[in-house]
Amino acid sequence: MAIQLPSPPKVGMVSLGCPKNLVDSERILTKLRSDGYQMSPDYAGADIVLVNTCGFLDSAKEESLEAIGEAIAENGRVIVTGCMGKEAEVIRARFPQVLAVTGAHQYEQVVGAVYEAAPMPPSAFLNLVPERDLKLTPRHYSYLKISEGCNHRCAFCIIPSLRGDLVSRRPDAILREAEKLIAAGTKELLVISQDTSAYGVDTRHATWPWKGGEVRAHMTDLARELGKLGAWVRLHYVYPYPHVDQVIPLMAEGLVLPYLDIPFQHASRNVLRLMRRPANEAKVLERIHRWRDICPDIAIRSSFVVGFPGETEEDFEYLLQWLDEAQLDRVGAFRFEPVEGAAANFLPNPVPEEVKEERYARIMERTAAISAAKLQAKIGRTVDVIIDVVDGEGGATGRSKADAPEIDGEVHLRDAHALAQGDIVRVLVEDADEHDLYGVPVTAL
Ligand code: SF4
């Protein structure tokens, strides 16, 4: 039985007023799209309609009120944002059925109101960011989506049929969004897309004006410019195309976090071919070794699927040996499950459930042992840690540069009274287990 996908909620948007308001609308929609929401071009198809209002002149206010009225009449489920949010009582008096009213630039509130009114059904295929993150992202870290869709056709994946081919955002728009996020308190930018390495191929890596010069729509150039903005920059969903080698020196220089999230999915050429994976090339291990020579602290995270149709015991053994050699820092493993609409569902030689379970247990055991040994080696060293939560009793939890929020490990701190969320501190590592570190702050950075 193939897994049936829930359909993501659809959001309609009416954007009124000045170009600044339009930028706000784009930003809200970008955030919602990165969370997996779909856009609706009309009222009828929308689960929720956002009206981004203008309140600059009386005539603009009247136009905004009319737009709210029209959205209510046509759809009924309406959230109001923008400049008229200052006059929430006026809006509520005239349209008591409005679901929420938020003000200009209150991105988090308006996005939060959408989450509440039209929650995203949990699904790994719809949500690029981890499911648990369908709350508001804390201000100190933000996801930055650089493109939508994907040009590949991996056999187990239906994202291209849901979202279409790759469409890259303009690099200057991404950089402006990053600047705004940083001005609003973001200390860490998490670059996401379906295929970060392919960023810009659809525009033939066009260049755009940026800060008196130019910036090219290319992963390396974008990563370099983002790195100059002063926040931590973490790259997710990077396929090991040859040009990925060019970002490793940026990591060694400290412009980009020494962290690569590469969804390898398998190591055996037979299985990778059946999966129709991109960048399926033999020399990946050699490259990983080279990356570590250039940037010894690089943390590599990956995910793997076991029990893919046609995976033999030999393929699986090869994967385990490959993992021993690759010594990846963080690994997520999944048992193959057919998803409605995926080409893999029609492949011969399905792997029996009990074999999938057994392989899953083996890969988890092997990778947990690698992770534990790597973390043990950090005891006695100092690492930089960004603080996520302060518990009020002197403890705090944060993450090192090797840990992305929600998916990787944590660093648990004692004697952290003086710290606040978003602080970046140097920490002496005192202990470790399979996934987490334990330590004490040494000095604030
Ligand atoms: S690279 Fe493959 S798995 Fe990733 S989104 Fe594209 S088709 Fe899906």
Side-chain angles (χ1 to χ4, degrees):
M1 262 281 287
I3 301 169
Q4 302 248 342
L5 280 188
S7 349
K10 293 199 176 70
V11 180
M13 166 74 91
V14 180
S15 188
L16 303 163
C18 63
K20 261 201 288 192
N21 227 28
L22 194 60
V23 171
D24 286 353
S25 296
E26 278 174 7
R27 185 153 172 225
I28 292 163
L29 292 182
T30 302
K31 171 73 182 129
L32 290 171
R33 286 187 67 164
S34 75
D35 289 337
Y37 284 83
Q38 285 188 357
M39 300 303 126
S40 169
D42 51 32
Y43 290 123
D47 295 292
I48 193 100
V49 176
L50 296 177
V51 183
N52 192 2
T53 56
C54 173
F56 187 54
L57 296 170
D58 282 352
S59 57
K61 283 185 194 171
E62 200 37 53
E63 194 192 344
S64 294
L65 289 169
E66 274 170 25
I68 298 168
E70 185 182 305
I72 286 178
E74 297 285 334
N75 181 284
R77 294 175 51 75
V78 173
I79 292 172
V80 177
T81 185
C83 300
M84 267 210 81
K86 279 196 294 239
E87 299 183 46
E89 331 72 59
V90 177
I91 296 168
R92 288 200 181 284
R94 194 143 143 196
F95 305 109
Q97 59 275 65
V98 158
L99 297 174
V101 181
T102 67
H105 316 307
Q106 294 182 337
Y107 310 109
E108 291 178 4
Q109 283 86 337
V110 65
V111 169
V114 175
Y115 291 163
E116 216 162 275
M120 204 46 210
S123 160
F125 281 95
L126 301 178
N127 316 131
L128 250 185
V129 298
E131 279 164 23
R132 277 195 298 141
D133 199 58
L134 278 179
K135 57 177 174 46
L136 291 182
T137 310
R139 262 177 189 280
H140 68 288
Y141 65 84
S142 301
Y143 293 94
L144 188 62
K145 189 157 191 182
I146 62 170
S147 60
E148 180 59 71
C150 180
N151 288 345
H152 302 294
R153 297 293 180 263
C154 300
F156 53 80
C157 178
I158 52 158
I159 281 172
S161 62
L162 285 178
R163 305 207 171 170
D165 283 342
L166 180 96
V167 179
S168 300
R169 294 179 63 202
R170 281 171 51 164
D172 53 334
I174 297 168
L175 288 162
R176 253 194 307 278
E177 182 182 351
E179 281 188 330
K180 277 197 196 166
L181 289 168
I182 291 169
T186 288
K187 302 280 177 54
E188 178 178 0
L189 295 165
L190 303 140
V191 173
I192 55 167
S193 69
Q194 311 295 346
D195 179 357
T196 295
S197 315
Y199 171 66
V201 290
D202 52 319
T203 65
R204 293 170 193 257
H205 302 297
T207 51
W208 296 88
W210 177 245
K211 301 224 157 162
E214 282 186 334
V215 58
R216 195 166 60 119
H218 187 282
M219 180 178 79
T220 317
D221 303 49
L222 184 67
R224 184 182 299 108
E225 291 302 325
L226 285 170
K228 289 181 192 165
L229 302 180
W232 282 11
V233 176
R234 194 181 291 285
L235 301 177
H236 286 282
Y237 308 105
V238 176
Y239 287 97
Y241 302 134
H243 66 260
V244 172
D245 295 358
Q246 297 163 12
V247 293
I248 312 299
L250 302 181
M251 296 180 176
E253 274 173 52
L255 272 178
V256 176
L257 289 185
Y259 179 95
L260 268 185
D261 173 7
I262 306 185
F264 287 116
Q265 309 298 20
H266 215 284
S268 140
R269 285 187 73 72
N270 171 40
V271 180
L272 288 169
R273 188 180 44 79
L274 291 168
M275 287 179 167
R276 296 198 231 134
R277 292 292 290 165
N280 162 15
E281 54 120 331
K283 303 244 159 76
V284 169
L285 274 179
E286 268 173 40
R287 288 173 68 204
I288 291 177
H289 292 314
R290 223 169 339 140
W291 295 344
R292 290 207 170 107
D293 287 341
I294 298 168
C295 182
D297 282 337
I298 192 169
I300 302 174
R301 123 163 296 271
S302 190
S303 52
F304 294 87
V305 173
V306 298
F308 191 78
E311 181 193 58
T312 61
E313 180 58 27
E314 210 182 348
D315 293 323
F316 181 70
E317 269 298 332
Y318 182 85
L319 170 60
L320 291 184
Q321 280 166 23
W322 188 93
L323 285 165
D324 280 345
E325 175 87 13
Q327 292 285 304
L328 303 184
D329 299 77
R330 304 285 184 189
V331 169
F334 303 89
R335 308 161 192 82
F336 170 74
E337 285 179 68
V339 175
E340 199 190 358
N345 305 355
F346 305 104
L347 286 173
N349 307 319
V351 175
E353 285 308 314
E354 62 282 6
V355 177
K356 271 189 213 170
E357 284 304 326
E358 185 247 354
R359 289 181 187 167
Y360 176 74
R362 281 159 72 197
I363 192 171
M364 290 307 281
E365 195 187 332
R366 188 73 66 101
T367 54
I370 294 171
S371 169
K374 295 202 120 195
L375 295 181
Q376 279 292 318
K378 295 192 180 182
I379 296 175
R381 286 180 58 185
T382 53
V383 292
D384 296 344
V385 171
I386 187 163
I387 303 300
D388 287 327
V389 182
V390 178
D391 68 12
E393 292 168 16
T397 305
R399 290 170 293 106
S400 74
K401 291 178 178 174
D403 305 306
E406 312 279 349
I407 51 174
D408 292 327
E410 293 178 325
V411 185
H412 303 280
L413 303 184
R414 65 176 176 89
D415 294 341
H417 302 271
L419 299 182
Q421 191 183 59
D423 285 351
I424 296 176
V425 289
R426 186 146 287 168
V427 167
L428 173 66
V429 179
E430 298 177 312
D431 201 359
D433 58 27
E434 266 179 15
H435 301 290
D436 294 344
L437 296 174
Y438 300 82
V440 63
V442 189
T443 45
L445 288 180

